[in-house]
């Protein structure tokens, strides 16, 4: 349980921890490369540690330098180098949907059997979205409770390339198929309804794989070698989002969020915040494999907006905190096309609507989003976080702008993506 009080202005600088999506991928591709991949600003959160744990069980030595947090060396053993101790390996993926889904694509073409299970939340999330395309490639994947969810039994077998029209814009699905495609006979193409985050494609290219992108379509050519690289993980825009939102809604705030990834497949919150009247300036922009910038955010009067269509995948994880901003904005915000929120770590449409209503906001949940009539003053309330890190952090931000005390029933879930969140927030409140 944690109590959040109305904040004085947020001021100062915050170094944003490494991007979760990129951290996972650095371990996965590093493990399959021929030699050592050096990673800096790796996100040492529970989800990314689940990925390290899985690859350790697959015989990969992932070296962490405890004197330099975020420094990791992945001692890759090559595309055929995964070598669990027994013919059947049991992999526990914790709360990490990303680990669970993307790993299926790596495990399907191996020469051993994998049993993959996560916690109750992961084991309730849809896995058919990866099982169906991988089965078309020849994979043998069984949902052990026959409910389309993990635990999964994956019996490694040779695969062939496919062209897959994905019904969902999901980087986890796309990545699972592309990584399986590295091992397949013939090229593999994924066509998405709208473009999801493209970190896997960018990183695969950096490791020397042949990846072609045309609009929402990606094709990978099989390879038997990935070349190790050095990776500096940018700050996670999904983590920066909480301080960005807090600085927007707490009057008198001014924060500088350092070295944040602004990949155009992830920067929807910047576009939406600006459309709502936020005062955000990008400084020190870099244009590496993953573009980055420092975000200078000052408080301002926000107004409502509409969010839907192609924008949704670019800000899917930020929608809970965007809903908080909308509750503090004048006028109406309508969010559509976000039904995916119902199958995240929790049903985020329900969790957000329930929490914001308890705080006095005028919010109506819909099948695929929300309608929020902003501008009603928020007051503190008891918030059920549903053990969902993004719900906990979003309501910590809502609490900064609310009269009275906001009580999070369980805040420990922030360990999933941002273990030092509350310390970093407190540093900005001083
Ligand atoms: C992620 C993709 C997104 C996102 C998740 C991380 C990734 O999920 O919500 O937090 O790293 O590929 P979907 O692939 O389900 O859209």
């Amino acid at each position: 349980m944690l109590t959040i009080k109305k904040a004085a202005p947020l001021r100062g600088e915050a170094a944003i921890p490494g991007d979760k999506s990129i951290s996972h991928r650095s371990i996965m591709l590093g493990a399959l490369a021929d030699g050592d991949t050096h990673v800096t600003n790796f996100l040492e959160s529970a989800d990314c540690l689940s990925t390290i744990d899985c690859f350790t069980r697959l015989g990969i030595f992932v070296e962490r330098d405890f004197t330099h947090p975020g420094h990791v060396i992945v001692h890759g053993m090559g595309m055929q180098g995964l070598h669990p101790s027994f013919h059947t390996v049991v992999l526990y993926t914790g709360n990490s949907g990303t680990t669970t889904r993307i790993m299926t694509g790596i495990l399907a073409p191996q020469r051993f059997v994998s049993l993959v299970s996560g916690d109750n939340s992961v084991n309730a999330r849809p896995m058919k979205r990866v099982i169906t395309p991988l089965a078309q490639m020849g994979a043998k994947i069984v949902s052990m409770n026959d409910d389309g969810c993990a635990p999964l039994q994956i019996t490694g077998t040779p695969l062939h390339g496919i062209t897959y029209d994905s019904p969902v814009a999901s980087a986890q699905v796309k990545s699972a198929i592309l990584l399986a495609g590295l091992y397949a006979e013939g090229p593999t193409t994924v066509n998405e309804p709208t473009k999801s985050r493209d970190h896997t494609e960018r990183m695969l290219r950096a490791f020397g794989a042949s990846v072609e992108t045309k609009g929402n379509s990606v094709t990978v050519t099989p390879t038997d070698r990935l070349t190790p690289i050095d990776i500096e993980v940018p700050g996670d825009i999904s983590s920066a989002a909480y301080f960005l939102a807090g600085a927007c809604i707490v009057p008198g705030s001014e924060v500088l969020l350092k070295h944040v990834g602004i990949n155009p497949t992830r920067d929807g919150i910047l576009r939406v915040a600006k459309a709502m009247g936020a005062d955000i300036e990008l400084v020190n922009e870099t244009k590496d494999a993953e573009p980055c910038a420092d975000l200078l955010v000052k408080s301002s009067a926000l107004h409502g907006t509409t969010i839907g269509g192609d924008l949704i995948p670019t800000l899917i994880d930020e929608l809970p905190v965007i809903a908080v901003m909308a509750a503090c904005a004048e006028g109406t915000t309508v969010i559509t096309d976000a039904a995916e929120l119902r199958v995240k770590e929790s049903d985020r449409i329900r969790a957000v609507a329930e929490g914001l209503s308890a705080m006095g906001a005028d919010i109506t949940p819909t099948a695929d989003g929300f309608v929020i009539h902003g501008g009603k003053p928020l007051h503190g309330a008891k918030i059920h976080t549903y053990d969902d890190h993004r719900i906990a952090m979003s309501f910590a931000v809502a609490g900064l702008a609310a009269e009275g005390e906001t009580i999070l029933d369980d805040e420990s879930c922030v360990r999933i993506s941002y273990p030092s969140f509350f310390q970093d927030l407190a540093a900005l409140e001083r």
Side-chain angles (χ1 to χ4, degrees):
M1 206 168 84
L2 184 78
T3 302
I4 308 281
K5 294 195 176 122
K6 190 174 168 116
L10 302 184
R11 291 196 159 261
E13 284 185 17
I16 303 298
D19 186 277
K20 181 157 80 70
S21 295
I22 297 173
S23 295
H24 282 300
R25 287 155 173 81
S26 69
I27 302 299
M28 294 175 179
L29 297 192
L32 303 179
D34 277 348
D36 295 353
T37 287
H38 292 251
V39 188
T40 49
N41 203 33
F42 177 83
L43 175 65
E44 293 179 333
S45 75
D47 262 16
C48 300
L49 297 181
S50 291
T51 294
I52 290 187
D53 184 59
C54 289
F55 278 91
T56 303
R57 282 163 198 273
L58 291 166
I60 303 297
F61 178 35
V62 180
E63 201 178 334
R64 289 173 66 198
D65 179 348
F66 291 99
T67 57
H68 295 96
H71 284 224
V72 170
I73 304 171
V74 190
H75 296 278
M77 299 290 286
M79 295 286 294
Q80 302 298 336
L82 300 182
H83 54 281
S85 311
F86 300 100
H87 181 66
T88 298
V89 60
V90 178
L91 301 173
Y92 180 66
T93 56
N95 191 245
S96 179
T98 307
T99 312
T100 312
R101 294 209 181 103
I102 301 185
M103 293 265 312
T104 55
I106 295 174
L107 297 170
Q110 302 299 328
R111 292 184 191 150
F112 49 84
V113 178
S114 309
L115 301 177
V116 182
S117 176
D119 65 9
N120 289 340
S121 155
V122 156
N123 288 357
R125 297 180 67 183
M127 291 295 147
K128 269 198 188 136
R129 52 180 65 196
V130 285
I131 298 173
T132 301
L134 292 173
Q136 285 179 21
M137 298 176 81
K140 295 181 184 159
I141 305 178
V142 175
S143 160
M144 292 169 80
N145 294 328
D146 203 19
D147 57 359
C149 299
L152 304 174
Q153 182 189 55
I154 305 173
T155 306
T157 189
L159 304 181
H160 52 83
I162 57 167
T163 294
Y164 187 65
D165 293 327
S166 180
V168 280
S170 160
Q172 295 171 358
V173 172
K174 174 174 64 177
S175 303
I177 301 169
L178 294 177
L179 295 185
L182 291 178
Y183 288 89
E185 211 180 292
T188 293
T189 299
V190 184
N191 301 319
E192 292 192 289
T194 53
K195 193 177 166 85
S196 65
R197 63 190 66 189
D198 65 357
H199 305 302
T200 300
E201 296 92 301
R202 286 172 188 255
M203 201 184 282
L204 274 173
R205 278 191 204 105
F207 275 88
S210 160
V211 181
E212 261 183 61
T213 306
K214 256 192 229 144
N216 300 343
S217 169
V218 194
T219 301
V220 70
T221 307
T223 186
D224 48 23
R225 185 166 200 279
L226 295 177
T227 314
I229 57 170
D230 291 347
I231 299 174
E232 192 197 344
V233 181
D236 196 327
I237 191 166
S238 300
S239 299
Y242 303 104
F243 303 140
L244 180 154
C248 285
I249 65 177
V250 178
S253 296
E254 178 171 339
V255 298
L256 185 67
L257 310 175
K258 302 282 284 181
H259 200 59
V260 178
I262 52 164
N263 177 320
T265 62
R266 294 283 301 282
D267 70 350
I269 185 165
L270 300 181
R271 286 181 266 159
V272 162
K274 283 182 185 164
M276 295 176 82
D279 182 349
I280 303 175
E281 202 185 317
L282 269 54
V283 279
N284 294 328
E285 268 190 72
T286 60
K287 299 211 181 322
D288 298 328
E290 289 285 352
C292 291
D294 299 341
L295 310 180
L296 179 63
V297 188
K298 299 179 189 164
S299 58
S300 57
L302 300 181
H303 49 80
T305 188
T306 55
I307 308 169
D310 289 359
L311 250 184
I312 294 296
T314 70
L315 46 62
I316 186 74
D317 293 336
E318 290 69 76
L319 283 170
V321 80
I322 289 173
V324 172
M325 291 168 72
C328 298
E330 280 306 321
T332 300
T333 295
V334 180
I335 301 174
T336 55
D337 305 317
E340 276 293 304
L341 289 180
R342 296 222 177 254
V343 288
K344 293 292 181 188
E345 285 83 330
S346 70
D347 177 344
R348 289 181 176 162
I349 292 180
R350 176 179 166 202
V352 166
E354 186 185 286
L356 279 176
S357 297
M359 295 180 79
D362 180 346
I363 176 168
T364 308
T366 62
D368 66 349
F370 313 94
V371 178
I372 302 163
H373 299 294
K376 283 183 76 182
L378 297 183
H379 53 75
K382 182 151 189 190
I383 302 297
H384 188 12
T385 63
Y386 290 93
D387 211 12
D388 181 336
H389 54 131
R390 303 218 181 275
I391 299 300
M393 291 187 277
S394 297
F395 280 97
V397 170
L400 301 177
E403 282 306 327
E405 294 188 339
T406 300
I407 299 166
L408 307 179
D409 66 344
D410 185 356
E411 78 289 0
S412 64
C413 45
V414 302
R415 72 187 180 283
I416 294 300
S417 65
Y418 197 162
S420 63
F421 172 74
F422 291 107
Q423 290 92 303
D424 292 359
L425 177 59
L428 291 175
E429 286 182 86
R430 247 178 255 134

